[in-house]
Amino acid sequence: MYTIEIEAVTEFTPEVLELIQTVYTAIPEFEQGYAKQEISQRLLAGPALLLVAKVEGEIAGFKLGYQTDAQVFYSWLGGITPDFRGLGLAKSLLEYQEKWAKEQGYQRIDVKTRNCFPSMLNMLISNQYQITAMVSDAQNHSQNKLHLQKHV
């Protein structure tokens, strides 16, 4: 059995922002992701949460979100590095984020994903997230963006 821990961070120092960049670039699906500056801008604009999953002390994944209004928390980015997939870490991060958001007084969590991430979509639906909208990509249906939410 592995030793798994989840570290929660709500203060975004330059070191924490560098940590985010490091783990973010370790997720292959984010090869054409957000620039460091955009990540910083979103996190420094108001309340935000970074969750870092560690297995045996090694960073295995993360989940990142921020407040969009007084009652809504947006679950923005997250992923597990390929070597640590299949251990239930993504679900653990999701459940931790939900509990934290509820404790902070948020009423709802919003999230977006794409058809090309079926594991994420399945996990969200199995955790009672509801699809509320879809932005279609007529050229490539795998890039359809699905909007989901859950009341916490």
Side-chain angles (χ1 to χ4, degrees):
M1 196 69 176
Y2 295 106
T3 302
I4 296 171
E5 78 178 274
I6 296 176
E7 179 183 344
V9 180
T10 56
E11 293 189 33
F12 294 90
T13 64
E15 294 80 17
V16 170
L17 293 170
E18 194 59 41
L19 170 67
I20 292 168
Q21 203 61 37
T22 300
V23 69
Y24 180 67
T25 57
I27 310 293
E29 291 82 358
F30 294 141
E31 65 187 31
Q32 295 184 1
Y34 293 96
K36 187 180 202 177
Q37 181 179 357
E38 183 170 356
I39 292 172
S40 297
Q41 285 176 331
R42 289 192 191 205
L43 299 179
L44 298 174
L49 174 68
L50 165 66
L51 298 175
V52 179
K54 296 180 180 178
V55 176
E56 300 294 330
E58 186 176 343
I59 294 176
F62 77 107
K63 192 151 192 65
L64 189 58
Y66 56 89
Q67 176 179 303
T68 56
D69 75 38
Q71 296 185 339
V72 180
F73 189 80
Y74 178 54
S75 181
W76 181 34
L77 295 172
I80 306 299
T81 59
D83 289 347
F84 294 103
R85 292 180 182 172
L87 300 176
L89 296 175
K91 185 172 181 168
S92 294
L93 290 170
L94 178 71
E95 290 170 351
Y96 191 114
Q97 185 182 65
E98 289 173 359
K99 182 176 182 283
W100 180 89
K102 186 174 185 170
E103 288 170 355
Q104 303 307 306
Y106 295 105
Q107 301 296 309
R108 191 178 84 216
I109 296 177
D110 289 351
V111 64
K112 297 174 188 169
T113 191
R114 296 184 187 274
N115 271 346
C116 60
F117 302 126
S119 295
M120 178 69 169
L121 181 58
N122 288 332
M123 179 183 67
L124 291 168
I125 290 171
S126 72
N127 277 39
Q128 288 74 52
Y129 283 76
Q130 299 286 313
I131 297 171
T132 58
M134 182 186 80
V135 178
S136 182
D137 183 329
Q139 303 299 315
N140 184 351
H141 293 300
S142 74
Q143 294 302 307
N144 287 352
K145 187 180 282 187
L146 301 162
H147 298 232
L148 298 96
Q149 63 181 223
K150 179 179 182 176
H151 291 275
V152 291

Short mmCIF file of all heavy atoms in Angstrom, two decimals, residues 76-139:
data_model
loop_
_atom_site.label_atom_id
_atom_site.label_comp_id
_atom_site.label_asym_id
_atom_site.label_seq_id
_atom_site.Cartn_x
_atom_site.Cartn_y
_atom_site.Cartn_z
N TRP A 76 -10.73 24.41 -11.99
CA TRP A 76 -10.16 24.82 -13.25
C TRP A 76 -9.25 23.79 -13.91
O TRP A 76 -9.49 23.32 -15.02
CB TRP A 76 -9.40 26.13 -13.04
CG TRP A 76 -8.78 26.72 -14.25
CD1 TRP A 76 -9.24 26.68 -15.54
CD2 TRP A 76 -7.58 27.47 -14.30
NE1 TRP A 76 -8.40 27.36 -16.38
CE2 TRP A 76 -7.36 27.86 -15.64
CE3 TRP A 76 -6.65 27.85 -13.33
CZ2 TRP A 76 -6.26 28.61 -16.03
CZ3 TRP A 76 -5.57 28.60 -13.73
CH2 TRP A 76 -5.38 28.98 -15.06
N LEU A 77 -8.16 23.44 -13.25
CA LEU A 77 -7.17 22.54 -13.84
C LEU A 77 -6.84 21.41 -12.88
O LEU A 77 -6.86 21.61 -11.67
CB LEU A 77 -5.86 23.30 -14.13
CG LEU A 77 -5.90 24.40 -15.16
CD1 LEU A 77 -4.57 25.17 -15.16
CD2 LEU A 77 -6.17 23.83 -16.54
N GLY A 78 -6.51 20.29 -13.43
CA GLY A 78 -6.07 19.18 -12.59
C GLY A 78 -5.62 18.02 -13.45
O GLY A 78 -5.98 17.92 -14.62
N GLY A 79 -4.83 17.19 -12.85
CA GLY A 79 -4.37 16.00 -13.56
C GLY A 79 -3.44 15.18 -12.70
O GLY A 79 -2.91 15.65 -11.69
N ILE A 80 -3.26 13.96 -13.12
CA ILE A 80 -2.38 13.01 -12.45
C ILE A 80 -1.30 12.62 -13.45
O ILE A 80 -1.60 12.34 -14.62
CB ILE A 80 -3.16 11.75 -11.99
CG1 ILE A 80 -4.37 12.13 -11.11
CG2 ILE A 80 -2.23 10.77 -11.27
CD1 ILE A 80 -4.03 12.87 -9.84
N THR A 81 -0.05 12.60 -13.00
CA THR A 81 1.03 12.21 -13.90
C THR A 81 0.85 10.73 -14.31
O THR A 81 0.31 9.94 -13.53
CB THR A 81 2.41 12.42 -13.25
OG1 THR A 81 2.50 11.64 -12.07
CG2 THR A 81 2.64 13.89 -12.92
N PRO A 82 1.25 10.38 -15.52
CA PRO A 82 1.00 9.03 -16.03
C PRO A 82 1.45 7.90 -15.10
O PRO A 82 0.75 6.88 -14.99
CB PRO A 82 1.77 9.00 -17.35
CG PRO A 82 1.73 10.42 -17.81
CD PRO A 82 1.87 11.23 -16.54
N ASP A 83 2.57 8.05 -14.41
CA ASP A 83 3.07 6.98 -13.54
C ASP A 83 2.16 6.67 -12.36
O ASP A 83 2.28 5.61 -11.75
CB ASP A 83 4.46 7.33 -13.00
CG ASP A 83 5.54 7.27 -14.07
OD1 ASP A 83 5.27 6.73 -15.16
OD2 ASP A 83 6.65 7.78 -13.81
N PHE A 84 1.26 7.61 -12.02
CA PHE A 84 0.44 7.43 -10.82
C PHE A 84 -1.05 7.31 -11.12
O PHE A 84 -1.87 7.36 -10.21
CB PHE A 84 0.70 8.59 -9.84
CG PHE A 84 2.09 8.58 -9.29
CD1 PHE A 84 3.04 9.48 -9.76
CD2 PHE A 84 2.46 7.67 -8.31
CE1 PHE A 84 4.33 9.47 -9.26
CE2 PHE A 84 3.75 7.66 -7.80
CZ PHE A 84 4.68 8.56 -8.28
N ARG A 85 -1.40 7.13 -12.37
CA ARG A 85 -2.81 6.98 -12.71
C ARG A 85 -3.32 5.61 -12.28
O ARG A 85 -2.57 4.66 -12.19
CB ARG A 85 -3.00 7.22 -14.21
CG ARG A 85 -2.73 8.67 -14.56
CD ARG A 85 -2.89 8.99 -16.01
NE ARG A 85 -2.57 10.40 -16.21
CZ ARG A 85 -2.47 10.98 -17.38
NH1 ARG A 85 -2.70 10.28 -18.49
NH2 ARG A 85 -2.17 12.26 -17.47
N GLY A 86 -4.61 5.56 -12.01
CA GLY A 86 -5.23 4.29 -11.62
C GLY A 86 -5.21 4.04 -10.12
O GLY A 86 -5.65 2.99 -9.67
N LEU A 87 -4.72 5.00 -9.34
CA LEU A 87 -4.67 4.84 -7.88
C LEU A 87 -5.83 5.54 -7.17
O LEU A 87 -5.91 5.52 -5.96
CB LEU A 87 -3.35 5.40 -7.32
CG LEU A 87 -2.06 4.76 -7.83
CD1 LEU A 87 -0.85 5.47 -7.25
CD2 LEU A 87 -2.03 3.27 -7.47
N GLY A 88 -6.71 6.17 -7.93
CA GLY A 88 -7.83 6.89 -7.33
C GLY A 88 -7.49 8.28 -6.85
O GLY A 88 -8.25 8.90 -6.11
N LEU A 89 -6.33 8.79 -7.28
CA LEU A 89 -5.90 10.11 -6.81
C LEU A 89 -6.81 11.23 -7.31
O LEU A 89 -7.12 12.17 -6.55
CB LEU A 89 -4.46 10.39 -7.25
CG LEU A 89 -3.40 9.45 -6.67
CD1 LEU A 89 -2.04 9.76 -7.29
CD2 LEU A 89 -3.35 9.56 -5.16
N ALA A 90 -7.24 11.17 -8.56
CA ALA A 90 -8.10 12.23 -9.10
C ALA A 90 -9.39 12.32 -8.30
O ALA A 90 -9.85 13.42 -7.96
CB ALA A 90 -8.38 11.99 -10.58
N LYS A 91 -9.97 11.19 -7.98
CA LYS A 91 -11.21 11.19 -7.20
C LYS A 91 -10.96 11.71 -5.79
O LYS A 91 -11.77 12.47 -5.24
CB LYS A 91 -11.81 9.79 -7.15
CG LYS A 91 -13.16 9.77 -6.45
CD LYS A 91 -13.85 8.45 -6.57
CE LYS A 91 -15.19 8.55 -5.86
NZ LYS A 91 -16.05 7.43 -6.14
N SER A 92 -9.85 11.35 -5.20
CA SER A 92 -9.51 11.87 -3.87
C SER A 92 -9.35 13.38 -3.89
O SER A 92 -9.82 14.08 -2.98
CB SER A 92 -8.23 11.23 -3.34
OG SER A 92 -8.42 9.85 -3.12
N LEU A 93 -8.70 13.91 -4.92
CA LEU A 93 -8.54 15.35 -5.04
C LEU A 93 -9.90 16.03 -5.24
O LEU A 93 -10.18 17.08 -4.63
CB LEU A 93 -7.61 15.69 -6.21
CG LEU A 93 -6.14 15.35 -6.02
CD1 LEU A 93 -5.38 15.51 -7.32
CD2 LEU A 93 -5.51 16.20 -4.92
N LEU A 94 -10.74 15.44 -6.07
CA LEU A 94 -12.08 15.99 -6.31
C LEU A 94 -12.88 16.05 -5.01
O LEU A 94 -13.49 17.07 -4.68
CB LEU A 94 -12.82 15.14 -7.35
CG LEU A 94 -14.24 15.56 -7.69
CD1 LEU A 94 -14.24 16.85 -8.48
CD2 LEU A 94 -14.94 14.45 -8.46
N GLU A 95 -12.88 14.96 -4.26
CA GLU A 95 -13.63 14.91 -3.01
C GLU A 95 -13.08 15.89 -1.98
O GLU A 95 -13.83 16.55 -1.26
CB GLU A 95 -13.66 13.49 -2.46
CG GLU A 95 -14.52 12.58 -3.33
CD GLU A 95 -14.40 11.11 -2.99
OE1 GLU A 95 -13.52 10.72 -2.18
OE2 GLU A 95 -15.21 10.33 -3.55
N TYR A 96 -11.77 16.04 -1.93
CA TYR A 96 -11.16 17.01 -1.02
C TYR A 96 -11.59 18.42 -1.40
O TYR A 96 -11.96 19.23 -0.55
CB TYR A 96 -9.63 16.88 -1.07
CG TYR A 96 -8.89 17.63 0.00
CD1 TYR A 96 -8.17 16.96 0.98
CD2 TYR A 96 -8.88 19.03 0.03
CE1 TYR A 96 -7.49 17.66 1.97
CE2 TYR A 96 -8.19 19.73 1.01
CZ TYR A 96 -7.50 19.04 1.98
OH TYR A 96 -6.82 19.72 2.95
N GLN A 97 -11.55 18.72 -2.70
CA GLN A 97 -11.93 20.05 -3.18
C GLN A 97 -13.40 20.34 -2.85
O GLN A 97 -13.73 21.43 -2.41
CB GLN A 97 -11.69 20.15 -4.68
CG GLN A 97 -11.96 21.53 -5.25
CD GLN A 97 -11.75 21.56 -6.74
OE1 GLN A 97 -12.49 20.91 -7.49
NE2 GLN A 97 -10.75 22.28 -7.19
N GLU A 98 -14.27 19.36 -3.05
CA GLU A 98 -15.69 19.55 -2.73
C GLU A 98 -15.89 19.86 -1.25
O GLU A 98 -16.65 20.77 -0.90
CB GLU A 98 -16.49 18.31 -3.11
CG GLU A 98 -16.63 18.09 -4.59
CD GLU A 98 -17.29 16.77 -4.94
OE1 GLU A 98 -17.64 16.00 -4.01
OE2 GLU A 98 -17.46 16.50 -6.14
N LYS A 99 -15.24 19.09 -0.40
CA LYS A 99 -15.36 19.29 1.05
C LYS A 99 -14.84 20.68 1.43
O LYS A 99 -15.49 21.41 2.19
CB LYS A 99 -14.57 18.20 1.79
CG LYS A 99 -14.66 18.25 3.30
CD LYS A 99 -13.90 17.06 3.90
CE LYS A 99 -13.99 17.03 5.40
NZ LYS A 99 -13.13 17.97 6.06
N TRP A 100 -13.70 21.06 0.91
CA TRP A 100 -13.12 22.37 1.19
C TRP A 100 -14.06 23.48 0.73
O TRP A 100 -14.31 24.44 1.46
CB TRP A 100 -11.76 22.49 0.51
CG TRP A 100 -11.09 23.80 0.75
CD1 TRP A 100 -10.26 24.15 1.77
CD2 TRP A 100 -11.21 24.98 -0.07
NE1 TRP A 100 -9.84 25.46 1.65
CE2 TRP A 100 -10.42 25.99 0.52
CE3 TRP A 100 -11.89 25.28 -1.24
CZ2 TRP A 100 -10.31 27.27 -0.01
CZ3 TRP A 100 -11.79 26.56 -1.78
CH2 TRP A 100 -11.00 27.54 -1.16
N ALA A 101 -14.59 23.37 -0.49
CA ALA A 101 -15.48 24.40 -1.04
C ALA A 101 -16.72 24.55 -0.16
O ALA A 101 -17.14 25.68 0.14
CB ALA A 101 -15.87 24.06 -2.48
N LYS A 102 -17.27 23.45 0.26
CA LYS A 102 -18.45 23.50 1.14
C LYS A 102 -18.10 24.18 2.46
O LYS A 102 -18.85 25.04 2.95
CB LYS A 102 -18.99 22.09 1.39
CG LYS A 102 -20.27 22.07 2.16
CD LYS A 102 -20.85 20.68 2.24
CE LYS A 102 -22.21 20.73 2.93
NZ LYS A 102 -22.92 19.48 2.83
N GLU A 103 -16.95 23.84 3.04
CA GLU A 103 -16.52 24.45 4.30
C GLU A 103 -16.30 25.96 4.16
O GLU A 103 -16.46 26.71 5.12
CB GLU A 103 -15.23 23.79 4.80
CG GLU A 103 -15.44 22.40 5.32
CD GLU A 103 -14.14 21.66 5.60
OE1 GLU A 103 -13.03 22.20 5.29
OE2 GLU A 103 -14.22 20.53 6.11
N GLN A 104 -15.94 26.40 2.95
CA GLN A 104 -15.71 27.82 2.71
C GLN A 104 -17.00 28.58 2.43
O GLN A 104 -16.98 29.80 2.27
CB GLN A 104 -14.74 28.02 1.54
CG GLN A 104 -13.39 27.35 1.70
CD GLN A 104 -12.71 27.71 3.01
OE1 GLN A 104 -12.52 28.89 3.32
NE2 GLN A 104 -12.34 26.71 3.78
N GLY A 105 -18.10 27.87 2.34
CA GLY A 105 -19.39 28.51 2.12
C GLY A 105 -19.84 28.58 0.68
O GLY A 105 -20.87 29.20 0.38
N TYR A 106 -19.12 27.95 -0.23
CA TYR A 106 -19.56 27.94 -1.63
C TYR A 106 -20.79 27.05 -1.75
O TYR A 106 -20.92 26.04 -1.05
CB TYR A 106 -18.45 27.43 -2.55
CG TYR A 106 -17.26 28.36 -2.58
CD1 TYR A 106 -16.08 28.04 -1.93
CD2 TYR A 106 -17.31 29.57 -3.27
CE1 TYR A 106 -14.98 28.89 -1.94
CE2 TYR A 106 -16.23 30.44 -3.30
CZ TYR A 106 -15.07 30.09 -2.63
OH TYR A 106 -14.00 30.94 -2.64
N GLN A 107 -21.68 27.42 -2.66
CA GLN A 107 -22.90 26.67 -2.89
C GLN A 107 -22.77 25.71 -4.07
O GLN A 107 -23.51 24.73 -4.16
CB GLN A 107 -24.08 27.62 -3.16
CG GLN A 107 -24.34 28.59 -2.02
CD GLN A 107 -24.75 27.88 -0.75
OE1 GLN A 107 -25.66 27.06 -0.77
NE2 GLN A 107 -24.06 28.16 0.34
N ARG A 108 -21.83 26.01 -4.97
CA ARG A 108 -21.74 25.25 -6.21
C ARG A 108 -20.30 25.19 -6.69
O ARG A 108 -19.52 26.12 -6.48
CB ARG A 108 -22.60 25.95 -7.26
CG ARG A 108 -22.83 25.17 -8.52
CD ARG A 108 -23.73 25.92 -9.48
NE ARG A 108 -22.95 26.85 -10.27
CZ ARG A 108 -23.36 28.04 -10.67
NH1 ARG A 108 -24.56 28.49 -10.35
NH2 ARG A 108 -22.58 28.81 -11.41
N ILE A 109 -19.98 24.08 -7.36
CA ILE A 109 -18.70 23.94 -8.04
C ILE A 109 -18.99 23.80 -9.53
O ILE A 109 -19.83 22.98 -9.93
CB ILE A 109 -17.91 22.72 -7.54
CG1 ILE A 109 -17.54 22.89 -6.07
CG2 ILE A 109 -16.65 22.50 -8.39
CD1 ILE A 109 -16.81 21.70 -5.47
N ASP A 110 -18.33 24.62 -10.33
CA ASP A 110 -18.42 24.54 -11.78
C ASP A 110 -17.13 23.93 -12.31
O ASP A 110 -16.06 24.14 -11.75
CB ASP A 110 -18.58 25.93 -12.40
CG ASP A 110 -19.95 26.54 -12.13
OD1 ASP A 110 -20.84 25.85 -11.62
OD2 ASP A 110 -20.11 27.74 -12.45
N VAL A 111 -17.24 23.20 -13.39
CA VAL A 111 -16.07 22.59 -14.03
C VAL A 111 -16.35 22.44 -15.52
O VAL A 111 -17.52 22.34 -15.92
CB VAL A 111 -15.72 21.23 -13.36
CG1 VAL A 111 -16.81 20.21 -13.56
CG2 VAL A 111 -14.39 20.69 -13.84
N LYS A 112 -15.31 22.45 -16.32
CA LYS A 112 -15.43 22.20 -17.76
C LYS A 112 -14.46 21.09 -18.12
O LYS A 112 -13.38 20.97 -17.53
CB LYS A 112 -15.08 23.46 -18.55
CG LYS A 112 -16.01 24.62 -18.30
CD LYS A 112 -15.53 25.86 -19.01
CE LYS A 112 -16.36 27.06 -18.58
NZ LYS A 112 -15.76 28.32 -19.04
N THR A 113 -14.85 20.29 -19.09
CA THR A 113 -13.96 19.26 -19.61
C THR A 113 -14.30 19.07 -21.09
O THR A 113 -15.20 19.71 -21.61
CB THR A 113 -14.08 17.94 -18.82
OG1 THR A 113 -13.02 17.07 -19.22
CG2 THR A 113 -15.42 17.26 -19.01
N ARG A 114 -13.55 18.24 -21.74
CA ARG A 114 -13.77 17.98 -23.16
C ARG A 114 -14.07 16.49 -23.37
O ARG A 114 -13.67 15.65 -22.57
CB ARG A 114 -12.54 18.38 -23.98
CG ARG A 114 -12.27 19.87 -23.92
CD ARG A 114 -11.10 20.25 -24.83
NE ARG A 114 -10.74 21.63 -24.66
CZ ARG A 114 -11.30 22.64 -25.30
NH1 ARG A 114 -12.27 22.40 -26.16
NH2 ARG A 114 -10.92 23.88 -25.09
N ASN A 115 -14.71 16.19 -24.49
CA ASN A 115 -15.01 14.80 -24.84
C ASN A 115 -13.75 13.94 -24.88
O ASN A 115 -13.82 12.74 -24.64
CB ASN A 115 -15.70 14.72 -26.20
CG ASN A 115 -17.19 14.83 -26.10
OD1 ASN A 115 -17.77 14.71 -25.04
ND2 ASN A 115 -17.82 15.08 -27.24
N CYS A 116 -12.60 14.54 -25.19
CA CYS A 116 -11.37 13.76 -25.32
C CYS A 116 -10.81 13.31 -23.96
O CYS A 116 -9.80 12.62 -23.92
CB CYS A 116 -10.32 14.54 -26.10
SG CYS A 116 -9.84 16.10 -25.36
N PHE A 117 -11.49 13.69 -22.87
CA PHE A 117 -11.08 13.26 -21.53
C PHE A 117 -12.19 12.43 -20.89
O PHE A 117 -12.80 12.84 -19.89
CB PHE A 117 -10.73 14.47 -20.65
CG PHE A 117 -9.65 15.34 -21.21
CD1 PHE A 117 -9.85 16.70 -21.38
CD2 PHE A 117 -8.42 14.81 -21.58
CE1 PHE A 117 -8.85 17.51 -21.90
CE2 PHE A 117 -7.41 15.61 -22.11
CZ PHE A 117 -7.63 16.96 -22.26
N PRO A 118 -12.48 11.24 -21.43
CA PRO A 118 -13.61 10.45 -20.92
C PRO A 118 -13.46 10.03 -19.46
O PRO A 118 -14.46 9.94 -18.75
CB PRO A 118 -13.66 9.23 -21.86
CG PRO A 118 -12.29 9.13 -22.43
CD PRO A 118 -11.78 10.55 -22.52
N SER A 119 -12.24 9.80 -19.00
CA SER A 119 -12.06 9.42 -17.59
C SER A 119 -12.52 10.54 -16.66
O SER A 119 -13.16 10.30 -15.64
CB SER A 119 -10.60 9.07 -17.29
OG SER A 119 -10.21 7.94 -18.02
N MET A 120 -12.17 11.77 -17.03
CA MET A 120 -12.60 12.92 -16.23
C MET A 120 -14.11 13.06 -16.26
O MET A 120 -14.75 13.24 -15.22
CB MET A 120 -11.92 14.19 -16.77
CG MET A 120 -12.32 15.44 -16.06
SD MET A 120 -11.67 15.46 -14.39
CE MET A 120 -12.01 17.15 -13.94
N LEU A 121 -14.69 12.97 -17.43
CA LEU A 121 -16.14 13.10 -17.57
C LEU A 121 -16.86 12.01 -16.76
O LEU A 121 -17.81 12.30 -16.03
CB LEU A 121 -16.54 13.03 -19.04
CG LEU A 121 -18.02 13.17 -19.35
CD1 LEU A 121 -18.58 14.48 -18.83
CD2 LEU A 121 -18.25 13.06 -20.86
N ASN A 122 -16.40 10.78 -16.87
CA ASN A 122 -17.01 9.68 -16.12
C ASN A 122 -16.90 9.91 -14.61
O ASN A 122 -17.84 9.65 -13.86
CB ASN A 122 -16.39 8.34 -16.50
CG ASN A 122 -16.81 7.89 -17.87
OD1 ASN A 122 -17.88 8.23 -18.35
ND2 ASN A 122 -15.95 7.13 -18.54
N MET A 123 -15.74 10.38 -14.15
CA MET A 123 -15.56 10.63 -12.73
C MET A 123 -16.52 11.72 -12.25
O MET A 123 -17.14 11.60 -11.20
CB MET A 123 -14.12 11.03 -12.42
CG MET A 123 -13.89 11.32 -10.95
SD MET A 123 -12.21 11.86 -10.57
CE MET A 123 -12.18 13.47 -11.38
N LEU A 124 -16.63 12.79 -13.03
CA LEU A 124 -17.53 13.88 -12.64
C LEU A 124 -18.98 13.41 -12.56
O LEU A 124 -19.68 13.68 -11.58
CB LEU A 124 -17.39 15.06 -13.61
CG LEU A 124 -16.06 15.81 -13.54
CD1 LEU A 124 -15.92 16.74 -14.74
CD2 LEU A 124 -15.91 16.55 -12.23
N ILE A 125 -19.42 12.70 -13.56
CA ILE A 125 -20.81 12.22 -13.58
C ILE A 125 -21.05 11.25 -12.42
O ILE A 125 -22.08 11.32 -11.75
CB ILE A 125 -21.16 11.60 -14.95
CG1 ILE A 125 -21.24 12.72 -15.98
CG2 ILE A 125 -22.48 10.83 -14.89
CD1 ILE A 125 -21.37 12.26 -17.41
N SER A 126 -20.09 10.37 -12.15
CA SER A 126 -20.27 9.43 -11.05
C SER A 126 -20.26 10.12 -9.68
O SER A 126 -20.73 9.55 -8.70
CB SER A 126 -19.22 8.32 -11.10
OG SER A 126 -17.95 8.81 -10.74
N ASN A 127 -19.76 11.35 -9.64
CA ASN A 127 -19.78 12.14 -8.39
C ASN A 127 -20.91 13.17 -8.41
O ASN A 127 -20.81 14.19 -7.74
CB ASN A 127 -18.43 12.82 -8.17
CG ASN A 127 -17.44 11.89 -7.52
OD1 ASN A 127 -17.39 10.72 -7.83
ND2 ASN A 127 -16.65 12.40 -6.61
N GLN A 128 -21.94 12.92 -9.18
CA GLN A 128 -23.17 13.72 -9.21
C GLN A 128 -23.02 15.12 -9.83
O GLN A 128 -23.79 16.02 -9.53
CB GLN A 128 -23.81 13.85 -7.82
CG GLN A 128 -24.48 12.58 -7.32
CD GLN A 128 -23.47 11.54 -6.88
OE1 GLN A 128 -22.59 11.83 -6.09
NE2 GLN A 128 -23.59 10.34 -7.40
N TYR A 129 -22.04 15.31 -10.69
CA TYR A 129 -21.97 16.55 -11.45
C TYR A 129 -22.96 16.43 -12.61
O TYR A 129 -23.13 15.35 -13.17
CB TYR A 129 -20.56 16.80 -12.00
CG TYR A 129 -19.62 17.31 -10.93
CD1 TYR A 129 -19.10 16.45 -9.98
CD2 TYR A 129 -19.28 18.66 -10.88
CE1 TYR A 129 -18.25 16.93 -8.99
CE2 TYR A 129 -18.44 19.15 -9.89
CZ TYR A 129 -17.93 18.27 -8.94
OH TYR A 129 -17.10 18.73 -7.95
N GLN A 130 -23.61 17.54 -12.93
CA GLN A 130 -24.62 17.57 -13.98
C GLN A 130 -24.08 18.38 -15.16
O GLN A 130 -23.52 19.46 -14.97
CB GLN A 130 -25.90 18.24 -13.48
CG GLN A 130 -26.54 17.53 -12.30
CD GLN A 130 -27.22 16.25 -12.73
OE1 GLN A 130 -27.96 16.22 -13.70
NE2 GLN A 130 -26.97 15.17 -12.00
N ILE A 131 -24.29 17.87 -16.37
CA ILE A 131 -23.92 18.61 -17.57
C ILE A 131 -24.93 19.74 -17.74
O ILE A 131 -26.13 19.50 -17.74
CB ILE A 131 -23.89 17.70 -18.81
CG1 ILE A 131 -22.81 16.62 -18.64
CG2 ILE A 131 -23.64 18.53 -20.07
CD1 ILE A 131 -22.84 15.54 -19.71
N THR A 132 -24.43 20.96 -17.85
CA THR A 132 -25.31 22.13 -17.96
C THR A 132 -25.22 22.80 -19.33
O THR A 132 -26.11 23.57 -19.68
CB THR A 132 -24.98 23.17 -16.87
OG1 THR A 132 -23.61 23.55 -16.99
CG2 THR A 132 -25.24 22.59 -15.49
N ALA A 133 -24.16 22.54 -20.07
CA ALA A 133 -24.01 23.15 -21.40
C ALA A 133 -22.92 22.43 -22.17
O ALA A 133 -22.10 21.70 -21.59
CB ALA A 133 -23.66 24.63 -21.27
N MET A 134 -22.94 22.65 -23.48
CA MET A 134 -21.89 22.11 -24.33
C MET A 134 -21.56 23.14 -25.41
O MET A 134 -22.46 23.71 -26.01
CB MET A 134 -22.30 20.80 -25.00
CG MET A 134 -21.19 20.21 -25.86
SD MET A 134 -21.69 18.75 -26.79
CE MET A 134 -22.53 19.51 -28.17
N VAL A 135 -20.28 23.34 -25.61
CA VAL A 135 -19.82 24.19 -26.71
C VAL A 135 -19.27 23.23 -27.76
O VAL A 135 -18.27 22.55 -27.54
CB VAL A 135 -18.74 25.19 -26.24
CG1 VAL A 135 -18.25 26.02 -27.41
CG2 VAL A 135 -19.29 26.07 -25.13
N SER A 136 -19.96 23.19 -28.89
CA SER A 136 -19.63 22.22 -29.93
C SER A 136 -18.45 22.68 -30.79
O SER A 136 -18.31 23.85 -31.10
CB SER A 136 -20.86 22.00 -30.81
OG SER A 136 -20.58 21.05 -31.79
N ASP A 137 -17.63 21.71 -31.15
CA ASP A 137 -16.56 21.94 -32.12
C ASP A 137 -16.92 21.10 -33.34
O ASP A 137 -16.72 19.88 -33.36
CB ASP A 137 -15.21 21.50 -31.53
CG ASP A 137 -14.04 21.76 -32.46
OD1 ASP A 137 -14.22 21.72 -33.70
OD2 ASP A 137 -12.94 22.01 -31.95
N ALA A 138 -17.48 21.74 -34.34
CA ALA A 138 -17.99 21.04 -35.52
C ALA A 138 -16.89 20.30 -36.28
O ALA A 138 -17.15 19.31 -36.95
CB ALA A 138 -18.70 22.03 -36.44
N GLN A 139 -15.65 20.78 -36.16
CA GLN A 139 -14.53 20.15 -36.87
C GLN A 139 -14.01 18.90 -36.17
O GLN A 139 -13.49 18.00 -36.81
CB GLN A 139 -13.38 21.15 -37.02
CG GLN A 139 -13.76 22.44 -37.73
CD GLN A 139 -14.25 22.19 -39.14
OE1 GLN A 139 -13.64 21.43 -39.89
NE2 GLN A 139 -15.35 22.82 -39.50
#
